[in-house]
Amino acid sequence: MTDRTVRPRPEGTPVKLPGTGRRVLVSGASRGLGRAVARAFAANGDRVAVHYGTRAEEARATLASLDGTGHVLVAGDLADPAGAAAVVDRAVEAFGEGGVDILVNNAAVNLPHPLAETPYEEWVALWQRHVAVNLLATAHLSHLVARRMIDRGSGGRIVNIGSRGAFRGEPDHPAYGATKAAVHALGQSLAVSLAPHGIGVASVAPGFFATERVAPRLEGPEGEAIRAQSPFGRVADADEIAAAVLWLASPAAEWASGTILDLNGASHLRS
């Protein structure tokens, strides 16, 4: 892809967004979708900051699997606002002058807590954990990265990982569904406020997709029912989701800013 001029900032200075060679921060990239997203950007010729919370060994495996050079590991607890700030500071320091061009908000928790079976104390703790990681960390990272983009006048992209569950409900994981719906709404608000600065913001809403974490479910007795949710009779591969994230971060996708892209194999339709 070639550079192209995007909407001028209020000061009138044009913003150029490259199609490759960009600096990308992917939160929660130690495994699963985060690893697939990191690999997609690296294969595109971008430099990737691989964030992890506690899975250092898996994060190192992600780093070792990336094409190209200039990739880095950044550790930090995103549930802590100071931890989120430290993650961005480390990524900016590692990338050098210019900082981060693309932020992918992928880090999330998804722990079961059906209301009828969950004691109140556990319910409260799990809701607080989901809100802290899934929603507030996304908001905090977005602020930290976007303000740097604004200050240097470079434009950029933010892509949020939402969920099909935000639309169809998550009866056993209500905090997950609720926080992902909030992430979608946050992305749309930021898309409007950041467009004058040449920053596009969009979200993807995946349905069920295969990762190491859900492999036992797909291989177990409920696997057939999960695959039958889609008329294609299968679940997505993480690389399919990563390809959509890569496109939304591209120069060609500026006009998709504000969108919530359904990626669920026609398993849940809305209009």
Side-chain angles (χ1 to χ4, degrees), residues 162-163 167 181 183-185 188 202-205 248 256 258-262 270:
S163 174
F167 303 113
V183 164
H184 294 166
Q188 292 184 316
S203 302
V204 297
L248 286 171
T259 197
I260 303 166
L261 181 58
D262 290 330
R270 63 191 181 95

Side-chain angles (χ1 to χ4, degrees), residues 56-135:
E57 183 175 350
E58 291 173 300
R60 284 191 289 270
T62 296
L63 186 70
S65 73
L66 301 183
D67 295 337
T69 60
H71 312 300
V72 296
L73 289 179
V74 289
D77 179 8
L78 298 183
D80 176 9
V87 165
V88 174
D89 286 343
R90 289 169 190 145
V92 170
E93 181 180 3
F95 285 145
E97 186 177 355
V100 176
D101 302 304
I102 297 167
L103 168 65
V104 180
N105 283 305
N106 172 70
V109 295
N110 185 11
L111 303 171
H113 51 285
L115 188 149
E117 303 167 21
T118 305
Y120 181 66
E121 294 77 9
E122 181 181 352
W123 171 269
V124 170
L126 285 169
W127 268 89
Q128 291 175 334
R129 178 67 177 166
H130 282 77
V131 169
V133 177
N134 298 4
L135 176 57

Side-chain angles (χ1 to χ4, degrees), residues 15-47:
V15 176
K16 287 185 177 295
L17 181 70
T20 189
R22 304 162 300 182
R23 295 147 298 194
V24 186
L25 171 58
V26 183
S27 69
S30 60
R31 62 177 184 170
L33 179 57
R35 176 179 288 177
V37 168
R39 286 174 170 170
F41 279 103
N44 186 62
D46 300 311
R47 296 172 60 192

